Amino acid sequence: MAVYRLCVTTGPYLKAGTLDNISVTLVGTCGESPKQRLDRMGRDLAPGSVQKYKVRCSAELGELLLLRVHKERYAFFRKDSWYCSRICVTEPDGTVSHFPCYQWIEGYCTVELRPGTARTVCQDSLPLLLDHRTRELRARQECYRWKIYAPGFPHIVDVSSFQEMESDKKFALTKTTTCVDQDDSSGNRYLPGFPMKIDIPSLLYMEPNIRYSATKTASLLFNAIPASLGMKLRGLLDRKGSWKKLDDMRNIFWCHKTFMTKYVTEHWREDHFFGYQYLNGVNPIMLHCISSLPSKLPVTNDMVAPLLGQSTCLQTELERGNIFLADYWILAEAPTHCLNDRPQYVAAPLCLLWLSPQGALVPLAIQLSQTPGPDSPIFLPTDSDWDWLLAKTWVTSIGRQGLLYLMSTGLAHFTYTNFCLPDSLRARGVLAIPNYYYRDDGLKIWAAIERLTCFSTHEDPLVLQEASTNHSAPCAPFCPACPLLKEQALALGASFCFCHCFPSRLCTPGELVKFLTAIIFNCSAQHAAVNSGQHDFGAWIPNAPSSMRQPPPETKGTTTLKTYLDTLPEVNISCNNLLLFWLVSQEPKDQRPLGTYPDEHFTEEGPRRSIAAFQSRLAQISRDIQERNQGLELPYTYLDPPFIENSVSI
């Protein structure tokens, strides 16, 4: 008689326990155990519980390969979901095997768990494991089908609604519930005072493994309702027309002011703060260092001489690498939209900036179109205050159709260089520019992630063997539009073309490390850098208006306070967008910072050491950032590791 001891951990979440019958079957190389029900005196499998059971077999099972969890009806009770964290099995000889689960198990079903040893397909030689992997892959492929949302846009899950996800049995990971009508009467509803519809049934009935947690949902509603209700009671969400004066905008979010929002309100007019936002604002990847001016921006030395001073000139500063360009060419053909039944306008500006001897980045000239000419003046700091201020304000929001255009065009020009932070910084020529905290912090985090992924690939001899085998042959097919011939690329040892193509095959451990690092970085740190500051920089409407109601000026000397206010978004439109900025910038109450892994999917000593080292490096980066920020007038915190989520969670 062989006795296996089980330690079953239920998650600590609301309603994580179950009243359903839970049984297990152990599967080893020498046979299977009898199906054993997990039943003790009193309540089994309560939220947060860790309970022990025994499974008796006539003989030892050999190496444990799978653990089957059977969930079945108990008496007359309804189906009761269960969040299983993990099951640990102690074998008769004392060997401990960990079976991570960390998922909600819905309905009546059987779930097969593997040991937490991160085996690759190359290590699965037994037919049982190969069959398990094949069935699991097929189930995922049937579950996560893709369809085209819009031409050039990323693909989306091939379902028409959350309702379909709930009812389609092919979605193996989704829960089966009574379908909820999703029409306006019982589905998408307005929360009190909230101007946008919320898909309440989806929040409540969506499959629990992919929906927001109860904590996050409650946090979202708690942030949304008071803020929107306050605006509603003050009549701001229903008020159309222009703002009467700039100071009226100070009190939109009177109870949600931060140090950063106050700083923006006080300094938004200043040229040095305008330049600062190109380095450390919500879009810190626009700047390119240039050595010559593009023909579409005919700025002369006489235009900028008053700002440069007598000791230098424009050509000298270009040669020194002190001139930078922000080119919004992508907006040139963007479609416009209407708000409050009024047309909105979009510009495609060119902004020339100078790195002064004092280390400040300041704007030199702004042209509001891609085509120079009499109707497209070049605005300068020496123009009237209102002309110059309006020129700096011209970044617009372009509505759904414009967004589709922007995304598809952006993706068509998105390169692997853009995807990899060190390469992007190098290509844009901004590695040496001072006070670029996004760059400084981002490179440190990139390096920490790189070391984490480097351990994972270089410690696995199978990865090294496969990479060595693949590297001896030509690796990737090449894009026919690539200007670099395939033979030239191969001669250089390249495994992907040098246009915008991403690698189609990873032929060395170094290529794999880089690719994995880029994925993790963009889903965590890069998202934090461009998302977390939206409320900080957007709460003061003139600093980042959501739309513009007048066309770009075609002559100088026509802008006044009234025309400026008439160009900014109307009152209700401003408030709607501020609510959105406020919600997406809030830290969720169930946040999992970068490097935090409460679900122990990896149980070997090697990965555990690697994760601990990664966490230690992130802690040191955080200490360095906090020490630096103490000496800054405006601290940069968006890439402080405790404020970076493990992945996009909006």
Side-chain angles (χ1 to χ4, degrees):
M1 177 69 67
V3 178
Y4 291 80
R5 292 175 172 81
L6 273 62
C7 184
V8 181
T9 302
T10 299
Y13 311 114
L14 181 67
K15 297 184 178 180
T18 185
L19 294 176
D20 287 348
N21 283 331
I22 304 295
S23 305
V24 299
T25 301
L26 300 176
V27 181
T29 54
C30 299
E32 298 184 7
S33 73
K35 182 178 175 182
Q36 175 68 51
R37 182 181 172 189
L38 304 184
D39 188 19
R40 296 163 49 96
M41 292 292 295
R43 173 75 188 276
D44 287 289
L45 308 177
S49 66
V50 179
Q51 294 176 300
K52 298 180 179 180
Y53 303 90
K54 293 181 180 179
V55 175
R56 292 179 169 83
C57 307
S58 58
E60 293 190 18
L61 303 176
E63 179 189 354
L64 292 182
L65 304 176
L66 297 173
L67 188 153
R68 296 192 180 111
V69 179
H70 313 278
K71 189 166 176 288
E72 300 165 314
R73 178 185 291 275
Y74 173 66
F76 54 85
F77 291 99
R78 297 179 55 191
K79 298 175 183 177
D80 192 16
S81 60
W82 178 40
Y83 188 91
C84 175
S85 291
R86 63 185 179 274
I87 299 177
C88 298
V89 181
T90 303
E91 301 178 30
D93 64 358
T95 302
V96 179
S97 297
H98 301 269
F99 292 85
C101 183
Y102 299 105
Q103 63 176 298
W104 291 92
I105 303 178
E106 295 288 328
Y108 306 135
C109 61
T110 296
V111 175
E112 292 184 336
L113 304 178
R114 284 192 174 214
T117 52
R119 297 170 69 97
T120 66
V121 65
C122 301
Q123 297 168 296
D124 284 347
S125 58
L126 297 176
L128 175 69
L129 295 179
L130 291 172
D131 178 66
H132 174 266
R133 187 181 292 271
T134 299
R135 287 186 285 108
E136 184 179 56
L137 179 60
R138 185 181 300 119
R140 295 294 191 272
Q141 291 171 337
E142 292 179 356
C143 174
Y144 296 108
R145 308 180 306 272
W146 300 102
K147 69 178 180 182
I148 296 176
Y149 175 65
F153 213 78
H155 290 186
I156 63 173
V157 177
D158 187 13
V159 291
S160 58
S161 65
F162 285 120
Q163 179 180 359
E164 181 180 337
M165 292 182 71
E166 296 302 320
S167 59
D168 191 339
K169 293 184 179 179
K170 287 187 289 187
F171 281 78
L173 294 181
T174 59
K175 124 186 196 183
T176 303
T177 64
T178 303
C179 294
V180 178
D181 235 327
Q182 301 234 344
D183 59 22
D184 284 347
S185 61
S186 62
N188 294 345
R189 299 167 183 162
Y190 284 101
L191 295 174
F194 200 64
M196 293 167 278
K197 290 183 178 181
I198 301 295
D199 192 351
I200 295 177
S202 295
L203 290 176
L204 298 178
Y205 296 103
M206 189 178 176
E207 195 274 322
N209 286 310
I210 56 176
R211 76 179 178 211
Y212 285 170
S213 67
T215 302
K216 189 179 183 73
T217 301
S219 173
L220 174 68
L221 298 178
F222 179 79
N223 284 324
I225 294 176
S228 59
L229 192 57
M231 290 186 184
K232 184 73 173 179
L233 292 176
R234 288 185 287 157
L236 295 176
L237 293 179
D238 301 314
R239 186 186 305 170
K240 297 182 180 181
S242 302
W243 294 92
K244 301 301 181 184
K245 53 185 178 180
L246 286 173
D247 280 348
D248 290 346
M249 304 178 195
R250 294 178 181 268
N251 297 319
I252 300 176
F253 266 147
W254 60 272
C255 60
H256 296 299
K257 292 183 178 180
T258 65
F259 171 81
M260 189 66 184
T261 60
K262 293 177 182 177
Y263 188 96
V264 173
T265 302
E266 298 300 324
H267 298 272
W268 67 285
R269 292 174 180 257
E270 300 169 6
D271 284 356
H272 78 87
F273 183 63
F274 178 85
Y276 172 91
Q277 293 182 73
Y278 276 105
L279 300 177
N280 305 305
V282 294
N283 192 6
I285 57 175
M286 283 296 299
L287 281 186
H288 286 75
C289 183
I290 58 174
S291 56
S292 62
L293 293 178
S295 59
K296 61 183 178 180
L297 183 62
V299 175
T300 66
N301 185 69
D302 290 342
M303 292 179 181
V304 297
L307 186 63
L308 296 179
Q310 298 179 352
S311 61
T312 188
C313 67
L314 181 57
Q315 183 59 38
T316 298
E317 294 303 300
L318 284 166
E319 294 170 357
R320 290 174 176 172
N322 291 333
I323 301 298
F324 299 84
L325 179 67
D327 186 351
Y328 295 87
W329 62 267
I330 196 171
L331 298 176
E333 302 296 330
T336 57
H337 64 303
C338 290
L339 293 172
N340 288 344
D341 297 323
R342 294 190 54 175
Q344 306 297 301
Y345 296 88
V346 65
L350 291 154
C351 181
L352 198 67
L353 299 103
W354 173 52
L355 182 62
S356 71
Q358 294 74 33
L361 188 70
V362 293
L364 281 178
I366 299 174
Q367 180 178 288
L368 296 180
S369 79
Q370 296 285 305
T371 306
D375 296 334
S376 183
I378 297 176
F379 292 92
L380 305 167
T382 52
D383 293 336
S384 71
D385 289 346
W386 287 114
D387 276 353
W388 181 235
L389 191 62
L390 181 62
K392 291 191 294 182
T393 306
W394 261 101
V395 178
T396 64
S397 176
I398 51 180
R400 180 181 180 276
Q401 292 302 319
L403 178 61
L404 295 180
Y405 166 85
L406 187 64
M407 286 292 291
S408 61
T409 305
L411 284 173
H413 291 83
F414 189 70
T415 69
Y416 194 51
T417 296
N418 300 145
F419 193 54
C420 301
L421 178 68
D423 296 347
S424 173
L425 294 169
R426 191 176 302 111
R428 294 190 291 113
V430 292
L431 284 172
I433 191 170
N435 306 318
Y436 197 3
Y437 309 121
Y438 159 80
R439 174 203 59 207
D440 299 341
D441 300 348
L443 286 175
K444 292 179 181 178
I445 293 169
W446 176 280
I449 297 172
E450 187 175 49
R451 291 186 65 179
L452 175 69
T453 59
C454 187
F455 171 87
S456 302
T457 56
H458 285 74
E459 288 292 313
D460 191 337
L462 289 174
V463 173
L464 294 174
Q465 178 183 348
E466 186 170 348
S468 176
T469 301
N470 288 338
H471 192 57
S472 62
C475 292
F478 285 75
C479 170
C482 181
L484 189 65
L485 296 178
K486 177 178 179 179
E487 291 76 12
Q488 293 173 310
L490 292 176
L492 294 173
S495 61
F496 50 88
C497 62
F498 285 81
C499 57
H500 62 269
C501 298
F502 279 56
S504 59
R505 184 184 295 175
L506 303 170
C507 299
T508 68
E511 290 179 5
L512 176 59
V513 166
K514 183 176 182 178
F515 192 70
L516 292 176
T517 301
I519 292 174
I520 297 172
F521 180 86
N522 282 280
C523 291
S524 57
Q526 182 65 19
H527 178 259
V530 301
N531 174 75
S532 301
Q534 290 188 79
H535 175 66
D536 289 342
F537 289 97
W540 179 246
I541 297 163
N543 188 62
S546 59
S547 62
M548 299 292 258
R549 293 183 290 141
Q550 301 294 331
E554 297 181 351
T555 58
K556 295 186 179 183
T558 60
T559 307
T560 64
L561 173 59
K562 184 181 185 306
T563 61
Y564 184 83
L565 292 173
D566 288 342
T567 302
L568 295 178
E570 296 181 64
V571 175
N572 63 331
I573 302 301
S574 300
C575 294
N576 286 340
N577 282 280
L578 289 190
L579 280 175
L580 180 61
F581 289 160
W582 166 250
L583 288 178
V584 300
S585 299
Q586 294 309 294
E587 178 182 319
K589 301 305 178 186
D590 62 350
Q591 182 188 34
R592 292 185 178 182
L594 182 63
T596 302
Y597 309 111
D599 300 347
E600 298 181 14
H601 289 281
F602 300 102
T603 58
E604 304 109 313
E605 187 59 28
R608 292 167 69 94
R609 286 199 308 268
S610 179
I611 290 173
F614 179 51
Q615 294 169 337
S616 177
R617 284 190 285 271
L618 292 177
Q620 182 59 52
I621 292 172
S622 180
R623 289 191 290 270
D624 293 343
I625 290 174
Q626 293 175 24
E627 181 179 354
R628 176 202 66 200
N629 284 344
Q630 290 179 0
L632 297 180
E633 178 184 5
L634 190 59
Y636 182 77
T637 61
Y638 304 125
L639 289 182
D640 190 353
F643 302 123
I644 300 173
E645 291 212 57
N646 262 332
S647 65
V648 178
S649 64
I650 293 179

